[in-house]
Amino acid sequence: MAISYEELTTKHPCFARGEKNGSGRIHLPISPSCNIECRFCERSFNNYEIRPGVSRTVITPEEALDAIKRALEVCPDIHVAGIAGPGDTLASPYALETFKLIKEEYPELVKCMSTNGLLLAEKAQDILDVGIDSLTVTVNAVDPEIEAKLNDGIIWHGKHYTGVEAAEILIEQQLKGIKILSDAGMTLKVNTVFVPEINGDHIEEVARTVAEAGATIYNIIPLIPNHKLKDCREPDCMELERAILKASKYIDVFRHCQRCRADAVGIPGGKDYGEEIYQNLQRLTRKDTFSHG
C-alpha cells in the first residue's frame, strides 16, 4: 500500500504544507520518449535550462541505482526518488523497471512518478505492483476543444490521432486512470500548465473535475513560453493567485512549484547536485533520443 497523504507532507517537497519541509528529491532521467505532442513542450539535453523536459542525459535503470547511491552521499536529506521524464514515464518500460529496482534496493525512499496519463488506466496495476507512493498526472484541460489547442496529437495503440479526437481520448484515459489509482489508495497530484489565452478561464473546471475523479492535491504551473506557444504569455501573479483561489474551492493547491528539471537533485530551492551526480552518465545526448511513441 502506498504511503498516506499525511506522511507525504513530511517526506515529499511537493506535498509540504507551508513553503518547505526540508526534504530533497532525486529526479532520475530514465524515460526518453513521449506519446503526446504538447504545443508548449520542447524536450532538450542541456545543463542550463530550469524547466521540465530538460536533462543532461538519459540513464538506464541500473545506472539509476548508482545515481541514488551517490546522491544520498552528498545530500542525505533526499527522501524521494522521482521519475518525471524527460519524456513520458509510461511511453517506455524503463520507469517501471527502475521503480522495481528501487523498491528492492531503497525501500525507505518515497517513489514518485509523473505522467501525461494517456496510458495511466491500462498501466494502473503495474504502477501499483512496483510500489509507487505518489503519482502526478498533467491534466491541462477537461474540455476537448481547449485541450486540442494545447496538444497537437497523441500516439495511441500504434495510431496517430490529432485535434479534438486526440483530446477526447487523452482526457478520458487521464480521468479513468486517476479514479482507478485513487480508489486503490494512491495519492495523486494533478498538474495543469496555465496558459492565460487558452485555459485561463478553465482552471476551476479542471480542479473540480480531477478532484471528483480522486486527485488529492493540485498544482497550477505557469506557462514557460516555448515551442509552438512561444508567443503566448506567462500568467502574472494576480492571474495565478485568482486561479489558485478558484481551484482551492475543490482541492488542496500546491503553491511553491519550482518547475524542476528531469534530472534535478537536492532540496528544491537549494543547491542542485544534478551535474555532480550525472556528469559521468552522459551517454545518450543525441536529439534523436527523443521520439514519439
Side-chain angles (χ1 to χ4, degrees):
M1 173 65 75
I3 65 176
S4 69
Y5 180 40
E6 288 302 315
E7 190 173 353
L8 284 169
T9 65
T10 66
K11 291 184 175 181
H12 196 311
C14 290
F15 292 86
R17 291 197 172 110
E19 190 169 332
K20 295 179 181 178
N21 62 11
S23 294
R25 81 294 189 229
I26 176 169
H27 283 178
L28 301 160
I30 291 288
S31 304
S33 57
C34 195
N35 48 12
I36 74 173
E37 301 166 341
C38 296
R39 304 189 75 239
F40 51 77
C41 179
E42 184 172 10
R43 298 185 302 283
S44 180
F45 286 117
N46 64 59
N47 60 5
Y48 58 88
E49 287 185 272
I50 308 298
R51 63 175 178 86
V54 174
S55 173
R56 294 169 179 83
T57 187
V58 172
I59 62 175
T60 68
E62 292 74 21
E63 288 172 330
L65 295 182
D66 182 57
I68 292 171
K69 179 177 182 294
R70 288 191 283 158
L72 289 171
E73 289 171 353
V74 299
C75 186
D77 290 322
I78 288 175
H79 300 303
V80 178
I83 304 178
D88 185 69
T89 49
L90 296 177
S92 62
Y94 310 120
L96 294 177
E97 290 174 9
T98 302
F99 282 121
K100 183 177 180 180
L101 295 176
I102 294 171
K103 182 179 180 181
E104 297 168 355
E105 297 293 327
Y106 295 96
E108 73 282 3
L109 291 179
V110 174
K111 295 174 290 298
C112 176
M113 188 176 81
S114 297
T115 177
N116 60 44
L118 178 60
L119 296 177
L120 189 57
E122 62 190 78
K123 298 286 186 180
Q125 189 58 53
D126 295 327
I127 291 168
L128 293 169
D129 289 344
V130 300
I132 291 171
D133 296 295
S134 72
L135 185 74
T136 295
V137 187
T138 299
V139 180
N140 295 319
V142 293
D143 178 333
E145 296 286 346
I146 296 174
E147 175 64 28
K149 297 176 183 178
L150 297 165
N151 176 15
D152 283 335
I154 65 172
I155 302 293
W156 173 244
H157 293 170
K159 184 177 177 181
H160 186 215
Y161 296 86
T162 60
V164 171
E165 184 181 20
E168 289 173 341
I169 295 169
L170 177 60
I171 293 166
E172 179 183 9
Q173 294 305 310
Q174 289 171 329
L175 297 177
K176 182 179 178 182
I178 290 170
K179 181 167 182 10
I180 291 171
L181 288 166
S182 64
D183 285 350
M186 182 172 290
T187 297
L188 284 101
K189 176 166 69 73
V190 167
N191 285 348
T192 295
V193 177
F194 181 13
V195 185
E197 298 97 321
I198 299 175
N199 65 356
D201 296 325
H202 186 54
I203 298 293
E204 182 174 358
E205 180 65 13
V206 176
R208 183 189 64 78
T209 303
V210 299
E212 289 177 353
T216 307
I217 190 168
Y218 190 54
N219 181 25
I220 302 170
I221 304 176
L223 172 74
I224 299 174
N226 196 35
H227 195 39
K228 294 183 179 180
L229 297 188
K230 65 182 183 301
D231 295 325
C232 290
R233 62 180 181 83
E234 183 173 354
D236 62 35
C237 292
M238 290 301 296
E239 288 173 317
L240 181 59
E241 186 60 28
R242 284 194 295 270
I244 288 172
L245 289 173
K246 288 179 180 179
S248 297
K249 293 188 293 184
Y250 306 98
I251 191 170
D252 284 348
V253 180
F254 174 53
R255 291 174 174 264
H256 46 277
C257 179
Q258 299 290 311
R259 299 191 292 200
C260 300
R261 290 168 55 99
D263 61 357
V265 182
I267 298 173
K271 176 177 170 58
D272 188 271
Y273 298 92
E275 183 171 4
E276 181 177 344
I277 300 304
Y278 293 116
Q279 62 182 347
N280 295 322
L281 297 176
Q282 294 183 18
R283 303 174 305 102
L284 301 177
T285 54
R286 308 182 315 275
K287 271 200 170 184
D288 61 1
T289 300
F290 291 136
S291 61
H292 291 285

